[in-house]
Amino acid sequence: MNNFKLGVDVVSAHNLVPKDGQGSSSSFVELYFDGQKYRTTIKERDLNPVWNESFYFNISDPSNLHHLTLDAYVHCHSSATNSSSFLGKVSLAGTSFVPYADAVVLHYPLEKRGIFSRVRGEIGLKVYITNDSTIKSSIPTPAVESMHANNHGLVDTEVNAAGNKMANPLSNGKVESERHTFRHLPNPNHQHHQHHSNGFEDAHYVTKYEADEMVSGGPQPMKLVHMHSVSSAQPVDYALKETSPFLGGGRVVGGRIIHKDKTSSTYDLVERMYFLYVRVVKARELPAMDLTGSLDPFVVVRIGNYKGITRHFDKNQHPEWNQVFAFSKERMQASILEVRIKDKDLVKDDFVGLVRFDINEVPLRVPPDSPLAPEWYRLEDKKGEKIKGELMLAVWIGTQADEAFSDAWHSDAATPVDSTPAATTVIRSKVYHAPRLWYVRVNIVEAQDLIPMEKNRFPDVYVKAQIGSQVLKTKTVPARTLSPLWNEDLLFVAAEPFEDHLVLSVEDRIGSGKDEIIGRVIIPLNAVERRADDRMIHSRWFNLEKPVAVDVDQLKKEKFSSRIHLHLCLDGGYHVLDESTHYSSDLRPTAKQLWRPPIGILELGVLKAVGLHPMKTREGRGTSDTYCVAKYGHKWIRTRTVVDNLSPKYNEQYTWEVFDQATVITVGVFDNNHIGEKGSKDLKIGKVRIRISTLETGRIYTHSYPLLVLHPTGVKKMGELHLAIRFSCTSFANMLYLYSKPLLPKMHYVRPFSVMQVDMLRHQAVNIVAARLGRAEPPLRKEVVEYMSDVDSHLWSMRRSKANFFRLMTLFSGVFAVGKWFGDICMWRNPITTVLVHVLFLMLVCFPELILPTVFLYMFLIGVWNFRYRPRYPPHMNTRLSQADAVQPDELDEEFDTFPTSRNPDIVRMRYDRLRSVAGRIQTVVGDLASQGERIQALLSWRDPRATALFITLCLVSALVLYVTPFQALAGLVGFYVMRHPRFRHRLPSAPINFFRRLPAKTDRTNPSFEIPSSIAKDSFIPLQIEGNETQHGKFSTPSIPYAVTGSDVNYNDKDEEIVNAVKVVEEQLQVHRSWRSEKNYAACDGRGIYVYDMPSMFNKDLVGQCRDMVPWQDFCRYFSNEGLGEPIANLGKGWFQTHQYSLELIFHSRVLKHPCRVYNENEAKLFYVPVYAGLDILRWHFKNVSNDVKDTLALELVKWLERQKAWKNNEGKDHVFVLGKISWDFRRTNESPWGSRLLELDKMQNPIKLLIERQPWHVNDIGIPHPTYFHPHSDNDIVSWQLKIIRSNRKNLVSFAGAARPEAKDNIRSLLIEQCSSSHMNGKCKFLNCSSAKCDEPESITQLFTESEFCMQPPGDSPTRKSVFDSLISGCIPVLFDPFTAYYQYPWHLPKEHDKYSVFIDKKEVKEMNVNVVERLSNISSRERENMRRFIVYELLPGLVYRDENGELEKFHDAFDVTMNNLLERVSRLEATEKG
């Protein structure tokens, strides 16, 4: 039952517009939500009315809450005319609703309804969500007439205010009478330290507002509002969260600041943080402390437990430090500041003197005040008496806006690991400016008069050009005249100031790997001409210098006649791409004279990070030393490092000029790995990108961004980063003008680079920027620059390829939808719509001048309609869109592989084959497109002379007809013909389509005949045709694998080629089965009927009637009741039955009889179900002494009966399906075994599909489906309830095993597992349920054992599969498998290919050879991995593994029967399409 309600407390309004003509208003409020409308009482003649009334709306669908909107309209009631006038409105999106515990009263500014509305004031509302079943929705009663009566979409259920003027049942019984505005919502930072330090309550530096706030009872915590993207459909934990923090300018609500006071600050996008600043300048006349008459002084600044230490000076009585210390207000623990001077000694530092300060007396400094002047303070001893020596200090209270903030030592960045000045340097906040980059274009024209080293041969010469680490070469040309010609362009990247020279060397290729330098020239880049356009650069000749000279001066003196002809320039008309083109933060050209004026200002406030993942261990606990880096344009910023904190607060604000709105700012979070024990690299935590064009002008966006990172194990949330960002436009006209300009500078289009050149130059640019920023202090390291610049974004990724494909499909989904709609119009699915389309088409044909206006008006209306659904927050990473939530482990491993690869050859070969498979599909699509284009060309190319003659004759006739026929009449005739009624259509393709398909293409000229090598043909052959064609037994002999009967091992690494090939065939068959999987639900059938044969009772009902003597020691009748579900189990509750594993035939039969696609005319069917209980037939003869002929009687009778059926003859049984409730081996009796029948060995039984609880691995038409378990839910609620129960279950056992030893089977590992489980040192970890007793026949015992265990061991028994595997899965117990045939090769429709998501595999060979202890191996699996696997089992697999009660109904879930039938219908559909093709 849905008890969710939306509570709205209408508290008060303030400063309303007078509308009654007497300077007042009689106001009331109307609330609209989810088709419901309520109204408050009318407050007569009051511009500041107080209601304190509560209303409760029913929420029809909580999952759709974020699409809904709460509208509050304030009206003025006129009693004279009984009418109302508009005073203002407020609209609150569903994404802003919070639980009652988080709700506060907020005063929202009233908004206009139209452009001419006159509105002022604000309304106080408290909006929250509750699921308290005791609260009833408000009772609708008649009220005054509403001006919104024309809103027909709303249910006119108004509430009498007298019935709602009551205390909120969720509150503490207090009626809120005090008006609270946004100005009275305090800064969350203030709540942590009111009781720690009295110093910060001094009125000298605390504003009046904050002082009043402290007196009034303290602040309230910041409230988070979860925001869910409409299209993302991704987990809530990965979604963006809108926040309403209290920043320096006031509370941010809806992107606007409600100012707390008249004062303003440049730091209005961060929370104002107070610091105690201490500037230690210098000392003089310090007393001598050593025998040498001097001292080694340093200063210790201490407040509470925090202390900062300056560097020390050797033998100096007049030291100068000029160092600043900043102590955070939040961490202050004392009211006295001590500044001590000490003398550095080897054993113990000597005390020299101190200066004390009372925090209450420290002055407040607020920029733009000038810096506080330092003063001389006389030193005191420990007793407080004055001594020799003075210390110059400046002590003041300030905020992060202070100039000393960035260079100061910070208490929240102090680390006990390393407090040296070097460590302090790497944790400071800094601003970096990346160097200005230039493209260097070197056009090598020719060389003259070369003098080779060897005189007896003509040289093969090339030119090698080098700038720094960049090296490029021209092609090698033979110099027959000793004057070679190249005329090649080489491109480099260089950074100002130019430190490297251009070095050109002409080299002779003597042999492989052996080159000799003929001559070289060194050209300083400062001497190279610069250009900003495409003008010609005058060429220059440069003399080549002898390579033997080393000294530069010597090189200048010894010239010789060889020279080289060059065009050199620094191209400033390009933008040097140093980041991914999709996420560029700057698009300006290098030449400054081409820069346009800025269009706005971008302000970023880095507030804090929460819930960060520990990146290192320190003192036995996980921690992180984090800092943030932001990049936009040439300006990089780095916040200070907050040490040893998983929820750091930065509160630093930065500003950039914006030159183009089509740019992106990137903010990354990193772990500083250079504090204390120096690490190799700073670790990446995550990053956030915000596109400027998605930001509204002047709005403040305060959101908490999840730091989502793709790891080799999948997508992972590393924490959340809280940012405030604002884009202010300084030139709206320039900003609009930019939309008409090209994205990149002119030169990119005049002389574009190739894709290879762009990638190469970008790589070089990133290296140069990383090298330059790495030389700053503190350095911005290479790994940081590369991560922020997406240096690896061009590498291959299967995930990104899938994401791009689905993006493309989404892009064309509108076109496909229009095509489908037009197809429905043509088929007259809705006659009224079709007639209207005909009328519209006729109007457009008669008035063609209306076509373009209609199209543009339609787009205008769509845009206006979508305005109300526009995004209200910046886009963020979408795990569904990026395919990060569905990526396969091997695809992730491939994405994280190095380039070139570092994986072993087998994996590389597998990936190469996969890539070939994908490329093969693309190749087919491209070939089909090319064929269609070639057929178009063939119309006039006379490849088919008869077709071309027909076509040109038709063209001539068409020209004559079109000449004499009005175009409008012809267009109307064609349109009506296309949209003609289906009665006038034929099912066969039309004549033009047939004519076009018969035209020749060049396909036959591109596919040469070749023979497949016999080894390949043998290894890849599948014995049964995929779509049910006849079996060709002669081409493949099933390997003799004794495992099928005796349980011997099948090893992946077995050198027996026959076994390896057999396993390969099994894997290929599973791939075929998976290709039949359907995502559709064929409940609508769509022409895919299922026909159920009404067979003689000997094949089914009579077998059930023999249930009492089927097994001598057991009565099977109790298992066959309830249509095969068995008797209910009262102890386990609703949905639990005594179901036997051999009851599957009865369960499927009863379900398929009620399938919505069932038809009663076999001519309408696409799938034929044969309800034969062949499993029960085997069971009834197994314990009786009868011959094999008797056992095969029913099978032979079945084949005879089927051969008489017309439907069977039509398709040779390919569209028939059998459900067999036992394992495949039972129906494939061999001569060596008396067990079972030969039903599936009969030739006529090879084509149909057989559904079994265990398939035979070598037959593609054998398909495994889950064993029936004891759980058969009646409804969706039964599944959800069970999911919640087992996910919360107390699993006190690490491992469990339910089974019995098999001492007669030598190769069985059960005895070894029982021994490991029962060993003394494993007590408390493993529980064994001995099935030699009857306990395993009790579902209660099995279910209890599995719901209390983390892992359930599932070794093979008489056959590879076990019903216990599915019992453990539906109990949330992770199965431990020892052979792939137990599950991996059995159930491709119900279990995913990624086996490690739901199971643990341990090779049974290792167990037999005593190389592994299973319990110890499982204990090494982390609890996080276990939880992830269990959640996947419970929420993803469980619904598709159970068979629901036939009398029940599932709406949200598909059970195992639904999955199976949908896939069968999909297979039949594909088979039909193949036969038509």
Side-chain angles (χ1 to χ4, degrees), residues 282-296:
K282 56 185 176 181
R284 65 186 180 188
E285 300 178 359
L286 296 179
M289 303 297 292
D290 297 336
L291 297 177
T292 59
S294 184
L295 78 165
D296 305 327

Side-chain angles (χ1 to χ4, degrees), residues 1368-1387:
S1368 67
L1369 284 171
I1370 71 163
S1371 301
C1373 186
I1374 303 168
V1376 183
L1377 306 180
F1378 301 88
D1379 194 285
F1381 286 88
T1382 301
Y1384 301 160
Y1385 291 165
Q1386 294 291 339
Y1387 312 104

Side-chain angles (χ1 to χ4, degrees), residues 477-503:
V477 297
R480 301 298 181 187
T481 62
L482 299 181
S483 297
L485 177 67
W486 292 281
N487 197 22
E488 287 189 36
D489 266 354
L490 303 180
L491 290 167
F492 300 88
V493 180
E496 290 184 343
F498 300 120
E499 299 176 349
D500 298 315
H501 297 320
L502 171 62
V503 180

Side-chain angles (χ1 to χ4, degrees), residues 1411-1422:
N1411 292 332
V1412 62
N1413 187 301
V1414 176
V1415 180
E1416 291 181 356
R1417 172 80 63 85
L1418 297 176
S1419 63
N1420 294 329
I1421 299 178
S1422 67

Side-chain angles (χ1 to χ4, degrees), residues 1220-1285:
L1220 306 176
K1222 291 179 67 64
I1223 65 176
S1224 178
W1225 315 101
D1226 290 348
F1227 305 97
R1228 303 182 188 276
R1229 189 183 68 241
T1230 62
N1231 295 329
E1232 294 80 9
S1233 173
W1235 177 272
S1237 70
R1238 298 187 66 254
L1239 173 65
L1240 298 187
E1241 291 295 315
L1242 301 176
D1243 289 340
K1244 296 295 184 182
M1245 291 300 295
Q1246 303 308 310
N1247 286 339
I1249 287 291
K1250 282 80 67 176
L1251 305 178
L1252 308 106
I1253 56 177
E1254 178 181 315
R1255 64 182 292 265
Q1256 214 272 15
W1258 325 118
H1259 292 267
V1260 74
N1261 287 338
D1262 282 11
I1263 300 176
I1265 58 176
H1267 287 258
T1269 62
Y1270 304 116
F1271 182 45
H1272 303 280
H1274 185 81
S1275 65
D1276 293 330
N1277 289 337
D1278 292 347
I1279 294 179
V1280 173
S1281 300
W1282 180 246
Q1283 287 175 328
L1284 293 176
K1285 181 177 180 179

